[in-house]
Amino acid sequence: MGLMDALMGLAAALASPPASQPAPVLLRPAQVFDGVDPRPHPGWQVLVAGGRIAAVGPALPVPPGTRTLDLAGTTLMPGMIEGHGHLFLHPYNETGWNDQVLHEALALRTARAVAQARATLDAGFTTERDLGTEGAGYADVGLRDAVEAAIVPGPRILAATRAIVALGAYGPKGFEPGVAVPQGAEEASGVDGIVAAVRRQIAAGADVVKLYADYHYRPGEPSLPTFSAAELAAATAAAHDAHRLVAVHTVTPEGMTRAIAAGVDTIEHGYGGTPAIFAAMARKGIALCPTLAASDAVSRYAGWNGAEPAPPAVEENRRSFAQALAAHVPMCVGGDVGVFPHGENAREMVLMQAAGMKPADVLIAATSGNARILHLADRGQVKAGLLADLVAVPGDPTRDVAAVRHPAMVMKGGAVVREPGA
């Protein structure tokens, strides 16, 4: 970065900073990974002021009163973005999904979600796309707003509220048919019905619309397509008209095909994808959230000890991920955290590397890649003018992404939320 660019960025950041903002901070790591270049930059520093990155580069000019934070031996990188989480769920080996939806009080689930939001932030994930409260209504909107108002600590949240499923195609299931059982998402049927559901959720505060293109009608059945092509297209158009992105849960070839035709923004899971389907996604620029960590975690809960050969669900997930990589599908980093513990979000990144993705490419996907996919132009890079959401990790994560599991420092909006050595 040129000296003139650095000075201009510094001037912009220091111009009338809000009184509540902390003093400028100079971060001095061993190197900087900027979120775009796969090669880290040794000797670079980052100056933070007014909640944003003021300047990046070697030997920066430092204004009086600046606090210097020595981060020797670390790589400074953008705050990571969780692309698929559920802050209102906790691991299924603690409490099954049905019991969480039906037996845990909303106040209990919300209190737990507050703690889980803090664990996510402490892990270096400064933004999270939360893809459904799974029976907790619109509580994610309140949590998002509480974080934004600095009432509770947590990542910046993109809320999907209740998510939308086809009538009769979700859960909990297994009860007397005449008993109305609360569901883990909002049910809809028909073009008018699904459009109305999209608009209701947006009015209630949804930042993103989550749809289920396939699911199980009865316990023990395989996933089957649920919403028709016309329903998915209408829902997507309604969401896009309101400038909301659309995420679609789909694991079947037909469900994926319908979602692609509808022009959705991301496909979640995609286990049943084929080379032809992934090629179609790549042509349209539709991203995949492979959720490798979800199939891994569920298989371990069922007794798998991690030895090879892996269970069929894990192998299917690895195979679809490899096909998507080969087709150059944009890759969203999102592990379906909530199935496994919040704060262990980096588990997905480690599994992506193990399944064949280069470490630097995983890092790019988790930072600037997710920011681009989620249309978050103000974050995801270490670049002057962007939000000062930053993480320092030991060693060099471009060689092994496992380094991000142990952040040495976390900063959100220019405030250090995890001090070095904490």
Side-chain angles (χ1 to χ4, degrees), residues 20 28 37 57 79 90-91 96 107 125 142 151 171 214 248 250 261 273 276 377 385 396-398:
S20 61
R28 297 176 57 188
D37 190 339
H90 59 106
F125 286 78
I151 297 169
D214 44 46
V248 175
T250 174
D396 185 355
T398 67

Side-chain angles (χ1 to χ4, degrees), residues 30-54:
Q31 60 183 12
V32 170
F33 168 75
D34 65 15
V36 178
D37 190 339
R39 300 162 300 179
H41 305 282
W44 275 23
Q45 304 170 346
V46 176
L47 182 64
V48 172
R52 292 186 176 262
I53 298 169

Side-chain angles (χ1 to χ4, degrees), residues 160-342:
T161 72
R162 299 173 63 191
I164 301 170
V165 296
L167 182 64
Y170 203 49
K173 286 283 185 287
F175 298 89
E176 204 287 321
V179 176
V181 177
Q183 295 289 286
E186 181 174 358
E187 295 183 300
S189 187
V191 167
D192 291 343
I194 195 171
V195 168
V198 167
R199 291 172 178 162
R200 271 194 299 271
Q201 294 198 9
I202 292 172
D207 302 303
V208 57
V209 172
K210 167 83 174 290
L211 306 169
Y212 282 73
D214 44 46
Y215 212 73
H216 329 281
Y217 277 99
R218 294 180 184 174
E221 286 189 346
S223 285
L224 299 168
T226 52
F227 286 126
S228 68
E231 287 170 326
L232 285 175
T236 301
H240 285 173
D241 282 348
H243 294 179
R244 268 46 174 201
L245 300 182
V246 178
V248 175
H249 165 114
T250 174
V251 300
T252 66
E254 181 60 26
M256 294 181 72
T257 299
R258 293 179 189 180
I260 293 165
V264 307
D265 299 288
T266 67
I267 284 179
E268 313 304 309
H269 315 302
Y271 303 153
T274 65
I277 287 172
F278 288 125
M281 286 180 64
R283 285 194 298 271
K284 283 199 168 187
I286 297 172
L288 174 70
C289 254
T291 63
L292 293 162
S295 61
D296 181 271
V298 171
S299 296
R300 289 176 188 273
Y301 299 156
W304 179 47
N305 65 3
E308 300 297 335
V314 173
E315 288 292 354
E316 181 184 39
N317 201 173
R318 291 173 179 173
R319 182 168 56 252
S320 64
F321 176 70
Q323 291 175 345
L325 274 182
H328 304 290
V329 173
M331 206 61 71
C332 173
V333 176
D336 214 353
V337 60
V339 175
F340 58 97
H342 298 271

